[in-house]
């Protein structure tokens, strides 16, 4: 979810052409390194699936496929936003659109249809392909859905964790944070303004996250509190739909999600959760991140002691945790280098 136009950063008082430019620009990233970064994408992409399903994975895939500094070694599919039949079919359809547009042939491997279930060792096309990719050299893992495929692999092959450069996951929270668009507003509107969200990728397979927490892997978390700082509006989606290639294909399948946010959440746009993972890989300097202690524990503060929730909790309250993660809390904004020379609407000119 990005545009080359009005990517709004919420709460900062300015509009800018930022993340959506990753998608619309179609410009090549200039490489400062000798070789592209090897990346594996694990996704529950479901744009266009029946119901109100978020299109963020699909936008992230389209953005990463346009970045020539990134070598997408493979893509694995997983249940989550929809069942595995839907996520696998949709990911393959998007890979076809990307190939038509960019010429990049992306290999898609079907993964888990249900949560991780230790001590069962489950092998899928996804785990076999990811194992081969890790045996060939270091990889950055981008987890856009539940961590099931990764847990299935590393439960059987923990030695392969040594070749994980970084695992970038869309999850995590501070204790007491409610996943709600009105959080932080005044006037007691928390339960009077749309639905409550949850840390979806974590909640869909908590046991998978527990397994990965036992491994010595560098982890970067891009949480809800980061995503809620950025919004794709109806104007942005219209621009994306009018563009070409895979981006237009995804945008056309995002209209029901926008309608959900407008009608049920009460905003003119939606937060682009998984797209921020693609942006982080491209421009990590645009994110304010810090090393924080983290553990999977019960959060009794978000909705009260009567509604405790298990979460991947970070921050000072988790000081006893044995693991630390890179936790990103702010998108710093600004104009991306690939936007240079692009026309933007006068009321959304970049700073």
């Amino acid at each position: 979810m990005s545009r080359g136009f009005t990517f709004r950063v919420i709460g900062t008082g300015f509009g800018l052409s930022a993340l959506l430019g990753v998608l619309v620009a179609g410009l090549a990233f200039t490489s400062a390194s000798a070789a592209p970064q090897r990346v594996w994408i694990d996704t529950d992409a479901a744009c266009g699936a029946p119901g109100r399903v978020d299109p963020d994975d699909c936008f992230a895939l389209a953005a990463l496929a346009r970045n020539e500094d990134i070598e997408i070694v493979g893509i694995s599919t997983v249940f989550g936003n929809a069942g595995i039949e839907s996520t696998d079919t949709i990911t393959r359809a998007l890979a076809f659109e990307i190939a038509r547009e960019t010429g990049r042939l992306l290999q898609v491997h079907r993964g888990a249809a249900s949560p991780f279930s230790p001590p069962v060792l489950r092998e899928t096309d996804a785990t076999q392909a990811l194992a081969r990719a890790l045996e060939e050299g270091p990889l950055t893992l981008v987890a856009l859905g539940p961590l099931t495929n990764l847990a299935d692999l590393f439960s059987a092959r923990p030695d392969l964790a040594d070749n994980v450069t970084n695992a970038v996951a869309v999850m995590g929270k501070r204790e007491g944070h409610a996943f709600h668009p009105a959080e932080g507003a005044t006037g007691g509107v928390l339960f009077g303004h749309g639905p409550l969200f949850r840390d979806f990728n974590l909640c869909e397979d908590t046991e998978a996250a527990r397994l990965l927490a036992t491994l010595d892997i560098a982890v970067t978390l891009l949480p809800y509190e980061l995503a809620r700082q950025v919004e794709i509006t109806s104007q942005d989606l219209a621009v994306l739909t009018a563009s070409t290639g895979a981006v237009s294909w995804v945008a056309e399948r995002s209209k029901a999600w926008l309608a959900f946010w407008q009608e049920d959440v009460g905003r003119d746009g939606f937060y682009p959760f998984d797209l921020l993972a693609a942006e982080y890989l491209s421009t990590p300097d645009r994110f304010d991140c810090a090393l924080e202690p983290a553990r999977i524990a019960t959060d009794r503060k978000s909705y009260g002691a009567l509604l405790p929730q298990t979460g991947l909790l970070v921050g000072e309250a988790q000081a006893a945790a044995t693991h630390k993660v890179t936790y990103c809390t702010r998108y710093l904004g600004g104009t991306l280098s690939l936007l240079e020379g692009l026309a933007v609407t006068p009321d959304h000119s970049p700073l």
Side-chain angles (χ1 to χ4, degrees), residues 297-316:
T298 299
D299 182 357
R300 300 182 182 278
K301 295 182 179 179
S302 292
Y303 310 115
L306 296 179
L307 294 172
Q309 291 191 346
T310 300
L312 177 51
L313 307 181
V314 304
E316 295 180 2

Side-chain angles (χ1 to χ4, degrees), residues 254-274:
S254 305
K255 293 178 179 178
W257 184 243
L258 176 64
F260 163 66
W261 278 72
Q262 291 175 328
E263 297 165 9
D264 288 28
V265 181
R267 303 194 66 90
D268 181 49
F270 53 85
Y271 305 152
F273 304 104
D274 296 314

Side-chain angles (χ1 to χ4, degrees), residues 149-167:
N149 287 332
L150 307 187
D152 279 340
L153 172 62
F154 293 122
S155 63
R157 294 287 308 276
D159 58 296
L160 292 177
D162 292 339
N163 265 358
V164 176
T165 304
N166 190 12

Side-chain angles (χ1 to χ4, degrees), residues 48-337:
R52 290 169 167 172
V53 179
D54 80 66
D56 308 337
D57 290 66
C58 294
F59 277 124
L61 285 167
L64 289 169
R66 290 189 170 202
N67 187 337
E68 294 183 358
D69 277 350
I70 289 176
E71 176 192 357
I72 301 177
V73 177
I75 301 172
S76 50
T77 58
V78 67
F79 78 98
N81 282 324
I84 189 64
E85 291 291 344
S86 292
T87 61
D88 194 73
T89 298
I90 289 169
T91 301
R92 292 175 189 277
L94 176 53
F96 176 76
E97 294 296 326
I98 289 170
R100 288 206 309 176
E101 178 187 6
T102 68
R104 300 183 74 170
L105 300 178
L106 303 179
Q107 298 298 316
V108 179
H109 304 275
R110 180 170 172 145
S114 58
F116 177 59
S117 182
V120 176
L121 296 181
R122 177 171 51 183
E123 190 174 63
T124 62
D125 179 40
T127 59
Q128 291 175 336
L130 179 52
R132 291 192 297 269
L134 284 166
E135 288 169 345
E136 292 170 0
L139 273 179
T140 294
L141 305 181
V142 182
L144 304 178
L147 302 178
T148 313
N149 287 332
L150 307 187
D152 279 340
L153 172 62
F154 293 122
S155 63
R157 294 287 308 276
D159 58 296
L160 292 177
D162 292 339
N163 265 358
V164 176
T165 304
N166 190 12
V168 179
V170 183
M171 61 176 60
K173 63 178 294 188
R174 296 189 185 279
E175 190 171 9
H177 279 200
F179 282 44
H180 193 278
E183 183 178 15
T186 59
V189 297
L190 180 59
F191 294 102
H193 184 273
L196 289 170
F197 293 101
R198 59 193 175 112
D199 198 353
F200 184 83
N201 292 340
L202 184 280
C203 294
E204 285 293 284
D205 196 342
T206 303
E207 290 306 313
R210 288 188 199 279
L211 184 282
L212 263 69
T214 68
L215 303 175
D216 186 18
I217 293 178
V219 174
T220 298
L221 299 181
L222 305 173
Y224 177 91
E225 67 174 293
L226 172 71
R228 72 191 300 269
Q229 298 169 33
V230 186
E231 187 171 49
I232 296 176
T233 66
S234 56
Q235 179 184 350
D236 301 327
L237 197 62
V239 170
L240 291 170
T241 304
S243 66
T244 59
V247 173
S248 177
W249 187 90
V250 176
E252 185 65 38
R253 288 157 176 77
S254 305
K255 293 178 179 178
W257 184 243
L258 176 64
F260 163 66
W261 278 72
Q262 291 175 328
E263 297 165 9
D264 288 28
V265 181
R267 303 194 66 90
D268 181 49
F270 53 85
Y271 305 152
F273 304 104
D274 296 314
L275 179 60
L276 291 171
E279 175 64 6
Y280 177 81
L281 260 65
S282 301
T283 55
D285 58 323
R286 297 194 180 277
F287 292 77
D288 186 8
C289 309
L291 202 61
E292 300 265 18
R295 65 191 177 110
I296 295 175
T298 299
D299 182 357
R300 300 182 182 278
K301 295 182 179 179
S302 292
Y303 310 115
L306 296 179
L307 294 172
Q309 291 191 346
T310 300
L312 177 51
L313 307 181
V314 304
E316 295 180 2
Q318 314 308 318
T322 57
H323 297 278
K324 288 191 175 183
V325 300
T326 298
Y327 190 69
C328 300
T329 57
R330 281 202 307 148
Y331 176 69
L332 302 178
T335 303
L336 301 178
S337 59

